[in-house]
Amino acid sequence: MKPIPTPFPPVPLGDIHVYDDIIQYFNFKQVKQQLPHRVQSITFVTTGIIPYDGGQTTMLHLGTELSKLGFQVYYLSYFAQPQKEMEINAEFNYAGYQGTCLDAGALEHHQSDIWIGTLWESVYVFKDKPGYKMYFVQDYEPYFYAFGDRYYLAKKTYELGLHMVSLGPWCAEMIEQNCQVQSPVDVIRFPVDMDRYPYQPRNFKDYQNKKEFNIAVYTKWDSPRRAPISIQIVLNNFIKICRDHGYKLNINYFGTDKSAQFINGENLGKLTKEELHKLYLKSDFGIAPSMTNFSLVPYEMMSTGLPVIDFYEGTGLSFMPENCALFCHLDEQSLFQAFQNAINRPEHIAKTVNNARAHLNTVTWKETVSDFTNVIHAIESKTGHNRIVS
């Protein structure tokens, strides 16, 4: 199947009319929490359903697991997107998803025991509605913007009293360091879906004699947190150093629209899960910079047995031990040193891959869903109700 494009153009700086449809919801009052006696309905408030979006794929996966446990799960868009379009893109992002997509027309009348924000804008949309207000934090969103009013608007959402659930520890650390927190901040594990990216053994001893290497590189031109400019500069210089040492590198970028022209390598565009899996299997190394919260991609690469190169300047060490990847600095000299050390020590690559697989077994979706349901149980216990789920 193919998804339906949903072009959301860049927001013009300073144009308040971008928010005309939801501006009536914006205020800075603290939320009033209403503890549910028993949680039956959970509503994720989202900006439509966008294809190829890792954050929304995580939302859909979490919602599906909660639906399997008996909760009534909804995905409510505050952006004008038809329900059918939401459903098609949801199925593309996470095949077999469970839960009900609701278009923006449901915003005024829909009720829910728990409301969950998924982007800073969404918090303002539902913060004054009846129910218990939560915030599924998948990144420290002030860093999405230059320092200014949207930086402030995003930062303020962490201070309005919502019960926050951080995907991994890094977001929680940033919130607690930079914000005046007045509500709980729980942390759940950042998970990997290993079943969708099955492992395939590799013979790393071959790396010692190879002179040509395939490197899969994930970045997004519209997402500075994936370092699209820096990684091209570093790889451009890295290619030259490798050439001087007799190595040929085939750089395969993915994650960015096919029309973008990279200064080196080939742009494969946005890939389906099946295409991603094939790319990982034919690659010798994988690179996926994460300057803010972690990306799903390095875990997917590791799941297939692909050795991952990561950078100290990013957030990888907040999500995995250092022995799970080939860490270096985000510059060509450090990258070449890590590359050369790796191919000269195939046993080190094999050990790194095994360490990565062992780590992934501790951050599966089973553990993450357990973390999240424990948060819900704790909310219910405040009312004296103990929920029993199968």
Side-chain angles (χ1 to χ4, degrees):
M1 68 177 294
K2 292 185 178 181
I4 298 175
T6 52
F8 300 145
V11 178
L13 299 180
D15 186 355
I16 194 171
H17 296 294
V18 168
Y19 303 109
D20 278 349
D21 291 341
I22 57 173
I23 197 67
Q24 71 268 26
Y25 300 113
F26 279 66
N27 64 65
F28 303 116
K29 296 182 295 185
Q30 288 288 297
V31 301
K32 295 180 180 179
Q33 296 285 33
Q34 295 179 357
L35 285 168
H37 179 64
R38 178 183 179 187
V39 178
Q40 294 180 304
S41 56
I42 298 174
T43 301
F44 293 89
V45 182
T46 180
T47 159
I49 304 291
I50 308 167
Y52 302 102
D53 189 282
Q56 291 196 345
T57 299
T58 299
M59 173 193 73
L60 290 164
H61 196 152
L62 177 59
T64 297
E65 297 303 321
L66 293 172
S67 179
K68 291 177 181 177
L69 292 173
F71 296 101
Q72 300 166 20
V73 175
Y74 302 92
Y75 312 101
L76 173 57
S77 174
Y78 61 90
F79 186 89
Q81 183 183 28
Q83 182 178 352
K84 185 63 177 177
E85 194 172 288
M86 293 178 67
E87 293 168 349
I88 291 172
N89 288 346
E91 182 66 23
F92 174 80
N93 284 345
Y94 189 67
Y97 83 96
Q98 294 184 21
T100 303
C101 293
L102 300 174
D103 63 29
L107 189 58
E108 291 303 316
H109 60 78
H110 182 71
Q111 297 182 351
S112 189
D113 295 324
I114 290 182
W115 299 84
I116 302 180
T118 57
L119 179 72
W120 70 265
E121 298 172 357
S122 68
V123 168
Y124 293 105
V125 170
F126 71 84
K127 64 180 284 294
D128 294 329
K129 290 185 175 295
Y132 194 76
K133 275 74 75 172
M134 298 182 70
Y135 197 167
F136 184 34
V137 183
Q138 298 193 63
D139 215 323
Y140 185 66
E141 292 178 358
Y143 282 172
F144 289 8
Y145 309 101
F147 188 81
D149 59 357
R150 270 185 304 201
Y151 179 101
Y152 168 77
L153 289 169
K155 180 173 178 287
K156 190 68 176 176
T157 59
Y158 305 127
E159 303 175 344
L160 295 176
L162 287 83
H163 186 153
M164 292 174 277
V165 178
S166 171
L167 187 65
W170 185 82
C171 295
E173 292 168 5
M174 296 303 296
I175 290 169
E176 290 167 348
Q177 289 173 15
N178 296 295
C179 305
Q180 299 296 317
V181 180
Q182 305 184 55
S183 54
V185 184
D186 289 305
V187 176
I188 63 175
R189 278 166 278 196
F190 194 110
V192 60
D193 192 351
M194 297 176 70
D195 291 341
R196 300 202 175 201
Y197 297 93
Y199 172 73
Q200 180 169 306
R202 301 162 190 257
N203 185 0
F204 296 116
K205 291 182 179 179
D206 291 345
Y207 283 30
Q208 285 183 300
N209 302 316
K210 291 181 64 166
K211 290 298 181 181
E212 184 173 349
F213 290 87
N214 297 314
I215 303 181
V217 181
Y218 171 71
T219 191
K220 296 173 71 175
W221 276 31
D222 59 355
S223 181
R225 60 193 185 277
R226 304 299 173 222
I229 297 175
S230 298
I231 197 62
Q232 289 182 77
I233 292 172
V234 169
L235 289 177
N236 213 43
N237 295 327
F238 175 54
I239 290 169
K240 296 174 184 176
I241 297 174
C242 285
R243 187 184 303 130
D244 291 342
H245 286 78
Y247 300 111
K248 178 184 178 183
L249 300 183
N250 302 314
I251 308 294
N252 292 305
Y253 292 99
F254 65 97
T256 295
D257 190 87
K258 186 81 170 176
S259 62
Q261 294 183 345
F262 284 77
I263 63 173
N264 50 63
E266 181 180 358
N267 178 13
L268 303 180
K270 297 180 179 181
L271 304 180
T272 65
K273 291 177 175 60
E274 294 75 17
E275 291 169 336
L276 285 174
H277 188 236
K278 290 179 182 178
L279 174 63
Y280 299 156
L281 293 183
K282 74 175 186 180
S283 300
D284 299 303
F285 294 99
I287 296 176
S290 291
M291 308 307 288
T292 61
N293 210 38
F294 209 46
S295 163
L296 291 168
V297 175
Y299 275 178
E300 294 169 356
M301 292 174 168
M302 292 174 179
S303 181
T304 69
L306 178 64
V308 168
I309 298 172
D310 204 359
F311 304 104
Y312 291 118
E313 289 81 2
T315 59
L317 289 176
S318 293
F319 295 87
M320 59 185 168
E322 189 168 355
N323 64 5
C324 291
L326 305 170
F327 275 92
C328 62
H329 289 286
L330 188 57
D331 68 71
E332 61 273 12
Q333 295 291 343
S334 183
L335 176 56
F336 178 73
Q337 192 64 55
F339 168 75
Q340 195 169 46
N341 289 343
I343 62 177
N344 289 333
R345 297 170 57 206
E347 72 284 354
H348 176 63
I349 303 178
K351 185 177 290 186
T352 300
V353 169
N354 288 335
N355 291 336
R357 293 185 65 212
H359 174 65
L360 294 186
N361 283 316
T362 70
V363 290
T364 66
W365 267 98
K366 180 180 178 180
E367 281 73 30
T368 297
V369 172
S370 176
D371 292 343
F372 195 89
T373 53
N374 285 340
V375 174
I376 294 179
H377 296 336
I379 294 169
E380 291 178 323
S381 69
K382 294 178 182 179
T383 66
H385 177 80
N386 293 317
R387 180 183 181 87
I388 299 175
V389 294
S390 57

PDB file of all heavy atoms in Angstrom, residues 36 38-40 42 66 69 71 114 116 134 163 165 186 369-382 385 387:
ATOM      1  N   PRO A  36      -9.374   9.604  37.126  1.00  0.00           N
ATOM      2  CA  PRO A  36     -10.435   8.647  36.778  1.00  0.00           C
ATOM      3  C   PRO A  36     -10.502   7.528  37.820  1.00  0.00           C
ATOM      4  O   PRO A  36      -9.471   7.053  38.295  1.00  0.00           O
ATOM      5  CB  PRO A  36      -9.991   8.105  35.419  1.00  0.00           C
ATOM      6  CG  PRO A  36      -8.492   8.237  35.449  1.00  0.00           C
ATOM      7  CD  PRO A  36      -8.188   9.456  36.278  1.00  0.00           C
ATOM      8  N   ARG A  38     -11.590   4.609  37.177  1.00  0.00           N
ATOM      9  CA  ARG A  38     -11.024   3.513  36.404  1.00  0.00           C
ATOM     10  C   ARG A  38     -10.806   4.015  34.986  1.00  0.00           C
ATOM     11  O   ARG A  38     -11.722   4.571  34.374  1.00  0.00           O
ATOM     12  CB  ARG A  38     -11.962   2.313  36.386  1.00  0.00           C
ATOM     13  CG  ARG A  38     -11.427   1.164  35.541  1.00  0.00           C
ATOM     14  CD  ARG A  38     -12.394   0.012  35.484  1.00  0.00           C
ATOM     15  NE  ARG A  38     -11.876  -1.062  34.644  1.00  0.00           N
ATOM     16  CZ  ARG A  38     -12.572  -2.145  34.302  1.00  0.00           C
ATOM     17  NH1 ARG A  38     -13.814  -2.289  34.731  1.00  0.00           N
ATOM     18  NH2 ARG A  38     -12.017  -3.062  33.543  1.00  0.00           N
ATOM     19  N   VAL A  39      -9.611   3.834  34.478  1.00  0.00           N
ATOM     20  CA  VAL A  39      -9.279   4.303  33.129  1.00  0.00           C
ATOM     21  C   VAL A  39      -9.865   3.345  32.104  1.00  0.00           C
ATOM     22  O   VAL A  39      -9.526   2.165  32.067  1.00  0.00           O
ATOM     23  CB  VAL A  39      -7.752   4.413  32.933  1.00  0.00           C
ATOM     24  CG1 VAL A  39      -7.446   4.844  31.499  1.00  0.00           C
ATOM     25  CG2 VAL A  39      -7.150   5.391  33.927  1.00  0.00           C
ATOM     26  N   GLN A  40     -10.768   3.877  31.291  1.00  0.00           N
ATOM     27  CA  GLN A  40     -11.334   3.080  30.207  1.00  0.00           C
ATOM     28  C   GLN A  40     -10.960   3.641  28.839  1.00  0.00           C
ATOM     29  O   GLN A  40     -10.688   2.881  27.913  1.00  0.00           O
ATOM     30  CB  GLN A  40     -12.864   3.012  30.352  1.00  0.00           C
ATOM     31  CG  GLN A  40     -13.318   2.253  31.594  1.00  0.00           C
ATOM     32  CD  GLN A  40     -14.828   2.210  31.715  1.00  0.00           C
ATOM     33  OE1 GLN A  40     -15.498   3.249  31.735  1.00  0.00           O
ATOM     34  NE2 GLN A  40     -15.379   1.008  31.795  1.00  0.00           N
ATOM     35  N   ILE A  42      -8.576   6.300  26.435  1.00  0.00           N
ATOM     36  CA  ILE A  42      -7.307   7.024  26.315  1.00  0.00           C
ATOM     37  C   ILE A  42      -7.271   7.661  24.936  1.00  0.00           C
ATOM     38  O   ILE A  42      -7.471   6.986  23.927  1.00  0.00           O
ATOM     39  CB  ILE A  42      -6.110   6.074  26.484  1.00  0.00           C
ATOM     40  CG1 ILE A  42      -6.121   5.432  27.880  1.00  0.00           C
ATOM     41  CG2 ILE A  42      -4.796   6.809  26.241  1.00  0.00           C
ATOM     42  CD1 ILE A  42      -5.044   4.376  28.071  1.00  0.00           C
ATOM     43  N   LEU A  66      -2.037  -0.800  24.135  1.00  0.00           N
ATOM     44  CA  LEU A  66      -3.022  -0.429  25.159  1.00  0.00           C
ATOM     45  C   LEU A  66      -4.411  -0.926  24.771  1.00  0.00           C
ATOM     46  O   LEU A  66      -5.193  -1.362  25.630  1.00  0.00           O
ATOM     47  CB  LEU A  66      -3.028   1.090  25.349  1.00  0.00           C
ATOM     48  CG  LEU A  66      -1.760   1.696  25.956  1.00  0.00           C
ATOM     49  CD1 LEU A  66      -1.829   3.215  25.914  1.00  0.00           C
ATOM     50  CD2 LEU A  66      -1.557   1.207  27.388  1.00  0.00           C
ATOM     51  N   LEU A  69      -4.952  -4.421  25.641  1.00  0.00           N
ATOM     52  CA  LEU A  69      -5.166  -4.624  27.071  1.00  0.00           C
ATOM     53  C   LEU A  69      -6.582  -4.248  27.501  1.00  0.00           C
ATOM     54  O   LEU A  69      -6.913  -4.345  28.682  1.00  0.00           O
ATOM     55  CB  LEU A  69      -4.145  -3.808  27.873  1.00  0.00           C
ATOM     56  CG  LEU A  69      -2.689  -4.275  27.765  1.00  0.00           C
ATOM     57  CD1 LEU A  69      -1.753  -3.295  28.466  1.00  0.00           C
ATOM     58  CD2 LEU A  69      -2.530  -5.668  28.353  1.00  0.00           C
ATOM     59  N   PHE A  71      -8.203  -1.158  26.762  1.00  0.00           N
ATOM     60  CA  PHE A  71      -8.518   0.270  26.797  1.00  0.00           C
ATOM     61  C   PHE A  71      -9.152   0.703  25.474  1.00  0.00           C
ATOM     62  O   PHE A  71      -8.840   0.159  24.419  1.00  0.00           O
ATOM     63  CB  PHE A  71      -7.249   1.099  27.040  1.00  0.00           C
ATOM     64  CG  PHE A  71      -6.593   0.864  28.372  1.00  0.00           C
ATOM     65  CD1 PHE A  71      -5.480   0.049  28.471  1.00  0.00           C
ATOM     66  CD2 PHE A  71      -7.090   1.453  29.524  1.00  0.00           C
ATOM     67  CE1 PHE A  71      -4.857  -0.178  29.691  1.00  0.00           C
ATOM     68  CE2 PHE A  71      -6.477   1.239  30.748  1.00  0.00           C
ATOM     69  CZ  PHE A  71      -5.361   0.416  30.835  1.00  0.00           C
ATOM     70  N   ILE A 114      -8.411   9.755  29.936  1.00  0.00           N
ATOM     71  CA  ILE A 114      -7.042  10.273  29.859  1.00  0.00           C
ATOM     72  C   ILE A 114      -6.820  10.896  28.493  1.00  0.00           C
ATOM     73  O   ILE A 114      -7.168  10.318  27.463  1.00  0.00           O
ATOM     74  CB  ILE A 114      -6.004   9.151  30.095  1.00  0.00           C
ATOM     75  CG1 ILE A 114      -6.030   8.708  31.561  1.00  0.00           C
ATOM     76  CG2 ILE A 114      -4.606   9.604  29.709  1.00  0.00           C
ATOM     77  CD1 ILE A 114      -5.008   7.632  31.895  1.00  0.00           C
ATOM     78  N   ILE A 116      -3.740  12.496  26.097  1.00  0.00           N
ATOM     79  CA  ILE A 116      -2.280  12.426  26.000  1.00  0.00           C
ATOM     80  C   ILE A 116      -1.799  13.344  24.883  1.00  0.00           C
ATOM     81  O   ILE A 116      -2.163  13.175  23.722  1.00  0.00           O
ATOM     82  CB  ILE A 116      -1.795  10.985  25.741  1.00  0.00           C
ATOM     83  CG1 ILE A 116      -2.280  10.050  26.861  1.00  0.00           C
ATOM     84  CG2 ILE A 116      -0.275  10.947  25.644  1.00  0.00           C
ATOM     85  CD1 ILE A 116      -1.837   8.606  26.684  1.00  0.00           C
ATOM     86  N   MET A 134      -2.184  14.000  30.323  1.00  0.00           N
ATOM     87  CA  MET A 134      -0.828  13.463  30.283  1.00  0.00           C
ATOM     88  C   MET A 134      -0.096  13.989  29.047  1.00  0.00           C
ATOM     89  O   MET A 134      -0.702  14.586  28.160  1.00  0.00           O
ATOM     90  CB  MET A 134      -0.854  11.920  30.268  1.00  0.00           C
ATOM     91  CG  MET A 134      -1.495  11.309  31.513  1.00  0.00           C
ATOM     92  SD  MET A 134      -1.472   9.491  31.506  1.00  0.00           S
ATOM     93  CE  MET A 134       0.292   9.189  31.738  1.00  0.00           C
ATOM     94  N   HIS A 163       0.807  15.390  33.618  1.00  0.00           N
ATOM     95  CA  HIS A 163       1.592  14.223  34.031  1.00  0.00           C
ATOM     96  C   HIS A 163       2.404  13.773  32.825  1.00  0.00           C
ATOM     97  O   HIS A 163       1.850  13.308  31.835  1.00  0.00           O
ATOM     98  CB  HIS A 163       0.648  13.115  34.499  1.00  0.00           C
ATOM     99  CG  HIS A 163       1.353  11.931  35.071  1.00  0.00           C
ATOM    100  ND1 HIS A 163       0.771  11.113  36.010  1.00  0.00           N
ATOM    101  CD2 HIS A 163       2.586  11.400  34.854  1.00  0.00           C
ATOM    102  CE1 HIS A 163       1.604  10.144  36.341  1.00  0.00           C
ATOM    103  NE2 HIS A 163       2.714  10.295  35.643  1.00  0.00           N
ATOM    104  N   VAL A 165       5.239  11.648  30.610  1.00  0.00           N
ATOM    105  CA  VAL A 165       5.870  10.339  30.438  1.00  0.00           C
ATOM    106  C   VAL A 165       6.924  10.495  29.356  1.00  0.00           C
ATOM    107  O   VAL A 165       6.600  10.743  28.191  1.00  0.00           O
ATOM    108  CB  VAL A 165       4.845   9.255  30.057  1.00  0.00           C
ATOM    109  CG1 VAL A 165       5.553   7.927  29.832  1.00  0.00           C
ATOM    110  CG2 VAL A 165       3.781   9.112  31.139  1.00  0.00           C
ATOM    111  N   ASP A 186       7.513  10.698  34.606  1.00  0.00           N
ATOM    112  CA  ASP A 186       7.899   9.290  34.596  1.00  0.00           C
ATOM    113  C   ASP A 186       8.711   8.987  33.341  1.00  0.00           C
ATOM    114  O   ASP A 186       8.585   9.679  32.323  1.00  0.00           O
ATOM    115  CB  ASP A 186       6.656   8.390  34.629  1.00  0.00           C
ATOM    116  CG  ASP A 186       5.961   8.420  35.986  1.00  0.00           C
ATOM    117  OD1 ASP A 186       6.649   8.142  36.981  1.00  0.00           O
ATOM    118  OD2 ASP A 186       4.756   8.719  36.032  1.00  0.00           O
ATOM    119  N   VAL A 369       5.592  -1.238  27.260  1.00  0.00           N
ATOM    120  CA  VAL A 369       4.161  -1.250  27.579  1.00  0.00           C
ATOM    121  C   VAL A 369       3.959  -1.515  29.068  1.00  0.00           C
ATOM    122  O   VAL A 369       3.092  -0.906  29.710  1.00  0.00           O
ATOM    123  CB  VAL A 369       3.427  -2.304  26.727  1.00  0.00           C
ATOM    124  CG1 VAL A 369       1.981  -2.452  27.181  1.00  0.00           C
ATOM    125  CG2 VAL A 369       3.473  -1.909  25.259  1.00  0.00           C
ATOM    126  N   SER A 370       4.773  -2.384  29.631  1.00  0.00           N
ATOM    127  CA  SER A 370       4.696  -2.630  31.072  1.00  0.00           C
ATOM    128  C   SER A 370       5.002  -1.357  31.853  1.00  0.00           C
ATOM    129  O   SER A 370       4.315  -1.031  32.830  1.00  0.00           O
ATOM    130  CB  SER A 370       5.676  -3.736  31.465  1.00  0.00           C
ATOM    131  OG  SER A 370       5.683  -3.930  32.864  1.00  0.00           O
ATOM    132  N   ASP A 371       6.029  -0.622  31.419  1.00  0.00           N
ATOM    133  CA  ASP A 371       6.355   0.658  32.058  1.00  0.00           C
ATOM    134  C   ASP A 371       5.162   1.608  32.019  1.00  0.00           C
ATOM    135  O   ASP A 371       4.821   2.258  33.020  1.00  0.00           O
ATOM    136  CB  ASP A 371       7.542   1.322  31.355  1.00  0.00           C
ATOM    137  CG  ASP A 371       8.847   0.576  31.532  1.00  0.00           C
ATOM    138  OD1 ASP A 371       8.928  -0.270  32.447  1.00  0.00           O
ATOM    139  OD2 ASP A 371       9.786   0.849  30.756  1.00  0.00           O
ATOM    140  N   PHE A 372       4.531   1.708  30.842  1.00  0.00           N
ATOM    141  CA  PHE A 372       3.441   2.664  30.677  1.00  0.00           C
ATOM    142  C   PHE A 372       2.208   2.251  31.474  1.00  0.00           C
ATOM    143  O   PHE A 372       1.554   3.091  32.111  1.00  0.00           O
ATOM    144  CB  PHE A 372       3.083   2.812  29.190  1.00  0.00           C
ATOM    145  CG  PHE A 372       2.239   4.029  28.902  1.00  0.00           C
ATOM    146  CD1 PHE A 372       2.834   5.243  28.618  1.00  0.00           C
ATOM    147  CD2 PHE A 372       0.856   3.970  28.929  1.00  0.00           C
ATOM    148  CE1 PHE A 372       2.075   6.375  28.361  1.00  0.00           C
ATOM    149  CE2 PHE A 372       0.080   5.085  28.669  1.00  0.00           C
ATOM    150  CZ  PHE A 372       0.693   6.294  28.396  1.00  0.00           C
ATOM    151  N   THR A 373       1.876   0.970  31.450  1.00  0.00           N
ATOM    152  CA  THR A 373       0.696   0.525  32.203  1.00  0.00           C
ATOM    153  C   THR A 373       0.921   0.667  33.705  1.00  0.00           C
ATOM    154  O   THR A 373      -0.031   0.904  34.457  1.00  0.00           O
ATOM    155  CB  THR A 373       0.324  -0.923  31.850  1.00  0.00           C
ATOM    156  OG1 THR A 373       1.472  -1.763  32.003  1.00  0.00           O
ATOM    157  CG2 THR A 373      -0.181  -1.023  30.427  1.00  0.00           C
ATOM    158  N   ASN A 374       2.168   0.551  34.152  1.00  0.00           N
ATOM    159  CA  ASN A 374       2.457   0.797  35.569  1.00  0.00           C
ATOM    160  C   ASN A 374       2.141   2.236  35.944  1.00  0.00           C
ATOM    161  O   ASN A 374       1.680   2.512  37.069  1.00  0.00           O
ATOM    162  CB  ASN A 374       3.916   0.475  35.881  1.00  0.00           C
ATOM    163  CG  ASN A 374       4.192  -1.010  35.940  1.00  0.00           C
ATOM    164  OD1 ASN A 374       3.276  -1.813  36.121  1.00  0.00           O
ATOM    165  ND2 ASN A 374       5.452  -1.393  35.791  1.00  0.00           N
ATOM    166  N   VAL A 375       2.376   3.158  35.015  1.00  0.00           N
ATOM    167  CA  VAL A 375       2.024   4.563  35.257  1.00  0.00           C
ATOM    168  C   VAL A 375       0.506   4.700  35.407  1.00  0.00           C
ATOM    169  O   VAL A 375       0.010   5.382  36.311  1.00  0.00           O
ATOM    170  CB  VAL A 375       2.546   5.463  34.118  1.00  0.00           C
ATOM    171  CG1 VAL A 375       2.042   6.894  34.298  1.00  0.00           C
ATOM    172  CG2 VAL A 375       4.072   5.429  34.061  1.00  0.00           C
ATOM    173  N   ILE A 376      -0.235   4.036  34.519  1.00  0.00           N
ATOM    174  CA  ILE A 376      -1.694   4.093  34.592  1.00  0.00           C
ATOM    175  C   ILE A 376      -2.194   3.452  35.884  1.00  0.00           C
ATOM    176  O   ILE A 376      -3.106   3.981  36.551  1.00  0.00           O
ATOM    177  CB  ILE A 376      -2.326   3.406  33.369  1.00  0.00           C
ATOM    178  CG1 ILE A 376      -1.992   4.195  32.096  1.00  0.00           C
ATOM    179  CG2 ILE A 376      -3.846   3.291  33.539  1.00  0.00           C
ATOM    180  CD1 ILE A 376      -2.542   3.580  30.834  1.00  0.00           C
ATOM    181  N   HIS A 377      -1.612   2.321  36.284  1.00  0.00           N
ATOM    182  CA  HIS A 377      -2.012   1.674  37.534  1.00  0.00           C
ATOM    183  C   HIS A 377      -1.802   2.624  38.715  1.00  0.00           C
ATOM    184  O   HIS A 377      -2.623   2.685  39.635  1.00  0.00           O
ATOM    185  CB  HIS A 377      -1.192   0.405  37.764  1.00  0.00           C
ATOM    186  CG  HIS A 377      -1.425  -0.657  36.738  1.00  0.00           C
ATOM    187  ND1 HIS A 377      -2.573  -0.740  36.002  1.00  0.00           N
ATOM    188  CD2 HIS A 377      -0.640  -1.697  36.341  1.00  0.00           C
ATOM    189  CE1 HIS A 377      -2.495  -1.783  35.183  1.00  0.00           C
ATOM    190  NE2 HIS A 377      -1.326  -2.371  35.362  1.00  0.00           N
ATOM    191  N   ALA A 378      -0.685   3.362  38.686  1.00  0.00           N
ATOM    192  CA  ALA A 378      -0.393   4.292  39.774  1.00  0.00           C
ATOM    193  C   ALA A 378      -1.430   5.420  39.827  1.00  0.00           C
ATOM    194  O   ALA A 378      -1.825   5.865  40.904  1.00  0.00           O
ATOM    195  CB  ALA A 378       1.009   4.869  39.604  1.00  0.00           C
ATOM    196  N   ILE A 379      -1.875   5.868  38.639  1.00  0.00           N
ATOM    197  CA  ILE A 379      -2.919   6.901  38.597  1.00  0.00           C
ATOM    198  C   ILE A 379      -4.213   6.367  39.193  1.00  0.00           C
ATOM    199  O   ILE A 379      -4.858   7.011  40.030  1.00  0.00           O
ATOM    200  CB  ILE A 379      -3.148   7.360  37.140  1.00  0.00           C
ATOM    201  CG1 ILE A 379      -1.907   8.075  36.603  1.00  0.00           C
ATOM    202  CG2 ILE A 379      -4.375   8.278  37.041  1.00  0.00           C
ATOM    203  CD1 ILE A 379      -1.944   8.314  35.106  1.00  0.00           C
ATOM    204  N   GLU A 380      -4.594   5.150  38.790  1.00  0.00           N
ATOM    205  CA  GLU A 380      -5.830   4.554  39.295  1.00  0.00           C
ATOM    206  C   GLU A 380      -5.758   4.273  40.790  1.00  0.00           C
ATOM    207  O   GLU A 380      -6.760   4.381  41.502  1.00  0.00           O
ATOM    208  CB  GLU A 380      -6.124   3.260  38.539  1.00  0.00           C
ATOM    209  CG  GLU A 380      -6.502   3.470  37.084  1.00  0.00           C
ATOM    210  CD  GLU A 380      -6.749   2.158  36.353  1.00  0.00           C
ATOM    211  OE1 GLU A 380      -6.038   1.180  36.626  1.00  0.00           O
ATOM    212  OE2 GLU A 380      -7.661   2.127  35.501  1.00  0.00           O
ATOM    213  N   SER A 381      -4.564   3.926  41.264  1.00  0.00           N
ATOM    214  CA  SER A 381      -4.434   3.584  42.684  1.00  0.00           C
ATOM    215  C   SER A 381      -4.689   4.784  43.586  1.00  0.00           C
ATOM    216  O   SER A 381      -5.048   4.621  44.750  1.00  0.00           O
ATOM    217  CB  SER A 381      -3.038   3.017  42.955  1.00  0.00           C
ATOM    218  OG  SER A 381      -2.041   4.021  42.817  1.00  0.00           O
ATOM    219  N   LYS A 382      -4.526   5.985  43.033  1.00  0.00           N
ATOM    220  CA  LYS A 382      -4.791   7.183  43.829  1.00  0.00           C
ATOM    221  C   LYS A 382      -6.271   7.330  44.160  1.00  0.00           C
ATOM    222  O   LYS A 382      -6.650   8.055  45.069  1.00  0.00           O
ATOM    223  CB  LYS A 382      -4.296   8.429  43.089  1.00  0.00           C
ATOM    224  CG  LYS A 382      -2.780   8.483  42.929  1.00  0.00           C
ATOM    225  CD  LYS A 382      -2.351   9.701  42.141  1.00  0.00           C
ATOM    226  CE  LYS A 382      -0.847   9.731  41.932  1.00  0.00           C
ATOM    227  NZ  LYS A 382      -0.407  10.902  41.138  1.00  0.00           N
ATOM    228  N   HIS A 385      -8.698   2.384  43.211  1.00  0.00           N
ATOM    229  CA  HIS A 385      -9.153   1.329  42.287  1.00  0.00           C
ATOM    230  C   HIS A 385      -7.946   0.577  41.752  1.00  0.00           C
ATOM    231  O   HIS A 385      -6.978   1.183  41.312  1.00  0.00           O
ATOM    232  CB  HIS A 385      -9.948   1.908  41.119  1.00  0.00           C
ATOM    233  CG  HIS A 385     -10.367   0.874  40.116  1.00  0.00           C
ATOM    234  ND1 HIS A 385     -11.452   0.068  40.324  1.00  0.00           N
ATOM    235  CD2 HIS A 385      -9.817   0.495  38.931  1.00  0.00           C
ATOM    236  CE1 HIS A 385     -11.576  -0.764  39.289  1.00  0.00           C
ATOM    237  NE2 HIS A 385     -10.603  -0.514  38.433  1.00  0.00           N
ATOM    238  N   ARG A 387      -6.882  -1.885  38.860  1.00  0.00           N
ATOM    239  CA  ARG A 387      -7.351  -2.443  37.600  1.00  0.00           C
ATOM    240  C   ARG A 387      -6.739  -3.805  37.363  1.00  0.00           C
ATOM    241  O   ARG A 387      -5.569  -4.053  37.628  1.00  0.00           O
ATOM    242  CB  ARG A 387      -6.969  -1.487  36.452  1.00  0.00           C
ATOM    243  CG  ARG A 387      -7.421  -1.964  35.072  1.00  0.00           C
ATOM    244  CD  ARG A 387      -6.927  -1.004  34.004  1.00  0.00           C
ATOM    245  NE  ARG A 387      -7.381  -1.443  32.705  1.00  0.00           N
ATOM    246  CZ  ARG A 387      -8.560  -1.116  32.175  1.00  0.00           C
ATOM    247  NH1 ARG A 387      -9.389  -0.381  32.863  1.00  0.00           N
ATOM    248  NH2 ARG A 387      -8.907  -1.536  30.985  1.00  0.00           N
TER     249      ARG A 387
END
